[in-house]
Amino acid sequence: MDEEQARELLGFLCLDTRPDLKGQATGYVLGLTGSAEGRTLLAGRPDFLEALLLLTGDRSLAVVKDSYHSLINLSVAVGSHRVLAKELPVLLHRLLDSGYAFADQVCTLLSNLSREEGTCRQVFQAMQEEGLGLAQVVEVFCTEGYNKKAALHYVGPLLSNLTQLPETREFLLDRSRCVVQRLLPYTQYEASAIRRGGVIGTLRNCCFEYKYHEWLLSPEVDLLPFLLLPLAGPEEFPEAEMERLPVDLQYLPPDKQREKDPDIRKMLLEAVMLLTATKAGRQLVKEKGTYLVVRELHQWETEPDVQAACKKLIQVLIGDEPEPGMENLLEVKIPEDVEERLQHLDREEERQQQETQSKGPGAQLGSSGRSR
């Protein structure tokens, strides 16, 4: 599409354009955003982005829907964020409007915009400036049927993205608010992997705040069973081992299934791994029989990335304690040359796992096995 064609198309993307022509134009733009070439073309055109944003207020529901879907596709490109961020106040108010018919599209758009830290901070600042705090977003997430016209599952990824900011993590982990406890049941939310993955990503990011680990593992929050239960299968354990597990993980039914999404399984393992960063956290995680669950998961797991995450966690669970002064794994400074070698080893291990997987079942850790 040359410049003359672009200007002609842009002329139809106006509120006062004849409805049938406007519908054809937004449909055509939506088709363009379905290809990488089209997204590159339009994401760098502020005039098109502004026109589409304006058309989200059109009287035609079809035009509004196509405009939102085009913006969602274009928001994958970081180059579009500067223009789209100008409409954050409007988008946030629409998200929290319990009667807005396109709240799902708004939520998806905000989720895309908040992936990058810079725009994520703009979303957070807009929330503060508009008096739309995190408490309201959490309320929307935790209230079934908040909007009868929208499922709002993408509030989960939005929360997860926002927790890349320390301010958001501090809010969710404020002991006086009991916010994080409200999120825990959604680790088992079967109706939507998007909502489930969003909340697990949120919890994982919160686990970077190691000063809260003992509280998160205490009976007041009891986070660990909510992370381990989706990873557990129907395996039976000897009585002595069974008693080490949290009550919620004991005597699971024979039809118990593990989390189906490998990315979510990996996030769950990463969250548990983060909880082992401090000496106190490691002790509490070990005492709850975490090794038993992860050992059985490793034997069952077929995805290389998740297998690797299992191995790393098992190394911590069955390994010796770090030397004095190195107890907090999140504070250990790794020399650049050592970090580069470790990254190279990780890449090499992943390559070997993929080759092994292509040939047949991979090597597994037995009940008493140790990873290297």
Side-chain angles (χ1 to χ4, degrees):
M1 185 169 63
D2 59 29
E3 183 59 31
E4 183 178 346
Q5 291 172 320
R7 282 200 304 270
E8 183 180 0
L9 176 59
L10 188 63
F12 292 110
L13 300 176
C14 303
L15 290 173
D16 57 359
T17 299
R18 208 172 75 195
D20 58 329
L21 296 177
K22 185 165 44 181
Q24 291 178 30
T26 52
Y28 181 74
V29 169
L30 178 58
L32 284 176
T33 65
S35 69
E37 184 181 0
R39 287 193 296 273
T40 301
L41 172 68
L42 296 178
R45 296 284 304 249
D47 46 0
F48 272 89
L49 293 169
E50 290 166 357
L52 289 169
L53 285 166
L54 189 63
L55 287 175
T56 61
D58 196 78
R59 285 185 289 183
S60 166
L61 297 182
V63 167
V64 173
K65 186 177 181 180
D66 283 353
S67 298
Y68 269 126
H69 286 164
S70 294
L71 290 169
I72 289 167
N73 291 344
L74 292 171
S75 64
V76 174
V78 179
S80 69
H81 290 190
R82 182 182 61 81
V83 174
L84 297 180
K86 295 177 182 178
E87 292 298 307
L88 283 173
V90 173
L91 294 172
L92 287 167
H93 280 287
R94 287 175 178 176
L95 171 64
L96 298 178
D97 181 349
S98 60
Y100 189 60
F102 294 96
D104 274 336
Q105 287 81 0
V106 170
C107 193
T108 307
L109 181 55
L110 288 170
S111 177
N112 284 352
L113 289 174
S114 58
R115 286 180 181 175
E116 297 293 324
E117 185 177 354
T119 322
C120 181
R121 187 161 292 283
Q122 287 182 274
V123 173
F124 181 80
Q125 290 173 346
M127 290 169 63
Q128 306 306 306
E129 292 168 2
E130 294 297 312
L132 307 172
L134 284 165
Q136 289 174 268
V137 177
V138 171
E139 190 65 31
V140 169
F141 181 82
C142 295
T143 304
E144 291 286 335
Y146 176 86
N147 186 328
K148 302 297 183 185
K149 302 174 181 178
L152 298 176
H153 294 318
Y154 273 91
V155 175
L158 174 60
L159 272 176
S160 180
N161 293 342
L162 287 169
T163 54
Q164 66 185 294
L165 305 177
E167 303 96 310
T168 307
R169 297 196 296 270
E170 289 291 335
F171 171 84
L172 294 178
L173 294 170
D174 186 333
R175 300 186 188 199
S176 66
R177 298 179 189 272
C178 294
V179 177
V180 72
Q181 291 93 324
R182 297 184 67 188
L183 301 178
L184 296 180
Y186 291 94
T187 60
Q188 293 282 302
Y189 190 81
E190 295 183 1
S192 169
I194 293 168
R195 182 180 286 255
R196 194 168 68 247
V199 80
I200 289 168
T202 299
L203 294 171
R204 179 201 58 186
N205 290 349
C206 286
C207 289
F208 278 99
E209 300 293 337
Y210 60 82
K211 64 183 177 181
Y212 292 99
H213 283 183
E214 290 186 65
W215 176 67
L216 288 170
L217 292 166
S218 73
E220 191 175 348
V221 180
D222 204 19
L223 172 61
L224 190 60
F226 289 93
L227 300 177
L228 292 180
L229 188 57
L231 298 174
E235 295 83 10
E236 295 182 5
F237 296 100
E239 193 70 25
E241 291 185 342
M242 189 72 76
E243 290 179 356
R244 292 176 56 195
L245 294 168
V247 174
D248 290 343
L249 278 85
Q250 295 180 10
Y251 305 103
L252 297 175
D255 60 348
K256 168 67 171 73
Q257 294 187 356
R258 290 182 170 89
E259 167 59 52
K260 296 177 182 178
D261 189 312
D263 291 330
I264 295 179
R265 293 198 300 273
K266 187 169 181 283
M267 284 194 291
L268 288 162
L269 289 165
E270 289 168 348
V272 178
M273 184 73 170
L274 286 167
L275 290 172
T276 67
T278 61
K279 184 174 182 178
R282 282 191 296 279
Q283 188 64 34
L284 288 166
V285 171
K286 289 178 181 180
E287 288 175 356
K288 295 296 184 179
T290 302
Y291 169 68
L292 302 173
V293 177
V294 181
R295 181 192 71 197
E296 298 302 319
L297 171 65
H298 182 270
Q299 293 182 355
W300 172 89
E301 187 60 64
T302 58
E303 292 291 330
D305 286 352
V306 189
Q307 283 183 335
C310 283
K311 283 187 177 181
K312 289 178 182 177
L313 181 53
I314 287 173
Q315 286 173 345
V316 173
L317 295 174
I318 66 177
D320 297 329
E321 273 294 307
E323 298 175 6
M326 307 273 287
E327 292 94 341
N328 190 326
L329 304 181
L330 288 176
E331 290 186 334
V332 174
K333 300 290 185 182
I334 302 176
E336 287 186 16
D337 60 325
V338 175
E339 187 170 5
E340 287 178 6
R341 287 203 301 271
L342 290 173
Q343 289 174 350
H344 173 73
L345 289 171
D346 280 344
R347 290 193 295 269
E348 184 64 21
E349 182 182 14
E350 183 177 344
R351 183 186 65 78
Q352 291 174 354
Q353 286 174 338
Q354 289 172 343
E355 289 179 355
T356 302
Q357 187 182 34
S358 66
K359 295 176 183 177
Q364 298 174 338
L365 290 179
S367 297
S368 59
R370 284 177 178 266
S371 56
R372 290 177 296 157

